[in-house]
Amino acid sequence: MTHIFPPSQGFGRSMDGQNSTEEVYFILLGLSQHSRAQIACFCLLLMSYVVTLLGNSLILLLIYHDPQLHIPMYFFLSNLSLDMCYTTSSVPQILINCLVTTPVISLGQCMAQMATGLYLDVVEHLLLAAMAYDHCVAIGDPLCYSMHMGPLLCGLLTGTSWTAAFLLTVVPVLTMPLEFCGHHVIKHFSCEFLALFRLACSDLQFYESLMLGTSALTLLAPFAFIVASYGKILVAVLRMRSTEGQGKVFSTCGSHLVVVALFYGTAISMYMMPQDKTTHDSDKIISMLYRILTPMTNPLIYSCGTRT
């Protein structure tokens, strides 16, 4: 039986308390059983990853160098563009694994990858909610927008997002002891939390409850806030007499709604739906869409969004 302990106790320590000199490795199956699909996956991932890096890097450069874009909407967008690190935390290794016969990853790398992915994932949840609030204030109360959405509040919202995400993901992952037994085969492209979770031989009911509670806090609560914000926006739009003003609102909010639907739709299907003991190919596909397509849509927000 292999244990994962908090960092203070050390990874890979045996049950009798003696340090283990042999490092633990996991095998990442991915699509290794389908060679043709693996080659197609490599090409698709490589193109998507390059587009993600170029698109989001371009957004950051434009926002940094153009003073007219130094407004709250693009401040949040620049933070959201940093979420390309979420893709970078796993995709380069997945690309390498597509080229080897038996992809392996050490226990320490697996934990670091999982913690980083969960952290940046939750950051995006909270930043999307902050962007919805920004749109709500800009459209619902435009005259007082500059006073409400000042640099202090914008910094507070983003700082809270990054800090809260760290406390809700990285700290629990690195302090929660899990026990693994049997084979060390992860039926996934990377160290996905749910795939690793299925290898645990400890009491799964407690961990399932913990996962559902955290998911509700980081998924459903921000999503409900976004829905409420856009409900207020819809009321404000219906009161507008100008067709041009309504079109501007839809242009500004439309791309954000597309990202919200894509992001939260896949996230809820992954983390909030009942889980079984095995990982299906459909789970892998949904996870890859969640990991790749969402960061790629950030350039869409910039190109389709209109300054309010």
Side-chain angles (χ1 to χ4, degrees), residues 9 31 34 61 71 76 87 122 127 131 158 161-162 184 205 220 229 251 255-256 262 280 284 291-292 306:
Q9 297 174 331
L31 293 176
H34 310 281
L61 288 174
I71 58 177
F76 292 123
T87 304
V122 173
L127 287 176
M131 292 181 70
T158 54
S161 298
W162 289 93
H184 293 166
Q205 185 175 2
L220 297 183
S229 297
S251 176
S255 54
H256 183 251
L262 176 64
H280 304 286
K284 302 176 185 178
R291 192 176 297 272
I292 292 293
T306 303

Side-chain angles (χ1 to χ4, degrees), residues 98-110:
C98 289
L99 303 177
V100 298
T101 305
T102 307
V104 295
I105 186 171
S106 68
L107 180 59
Q109 291 175 326
C110 187

Side-chain angles (χ1 to χ4, degrees), residues 111-175:
M111 293 296 294
Q113 185 182 92
M114 183 176 65
T116 303
L118 288 173
Y119 173 50
L120 295 174
D121 184 25
V122 173
V123 168
E124 186 160 356
H125 294 173
L126 302 178
L127 287 176
L128 287 173
M131 292 181 70
Y133 176 74
D134 173 64
H135 291 159
C136 182
V137 175
I139 296 168
D141 193 6
L143 297 179
C144 298
Y145 175 72
S146 299
M147 181 177 63
H148 288 308
M149 297 302 297
L152 180 61
L153 180 59
C154 293
L156 182 62
L157 289 174
T158 54
T160 301
S161 298
W162 289 93
T163 303
F166 181 85
L167 296 176
L168 290 171
T169 55
V170 177
V171 173
V173 166
L174 296 183
T175 57

Side-chain angles (χ1 to χ4, degrees), residues 157-229:
L157 289 174
T158 54
T160 301
S161 298
W162 289 93
T163 303
F166 181 85
L167 296 176
L168 290 171
T169 55
V170 177
V171 173
V173 166
L174 296 183
T175 57
M176 181 175 62
L178 293 174
E179 295 180 356
F180 296 94
C181 53
H183 63 277
H184 293 166
V185 178
I186 299 177
K187 297 180 180 180
H188 217 289
F189 295 99
S190 61
C191 283
E192 192 76 26
F193 175 75
L194 292 177
L196 191 64
F197 178 80
R198 292 185 176 99
L199 298 181
C201 57
S202 50
D203 186 5
L204 296 181
Q205 185 175 2
F206 170 77
Y207 294 112
E208 287 177 355
S209 300
L210 181 64
M211 184 182 68
L212 285 175
T214 304
S215 298
L217 188 62
T218 60
L219 270 175
L220 297 183
F223 181 69
F225 181 82
I226 291 174
V227 171
S229 297

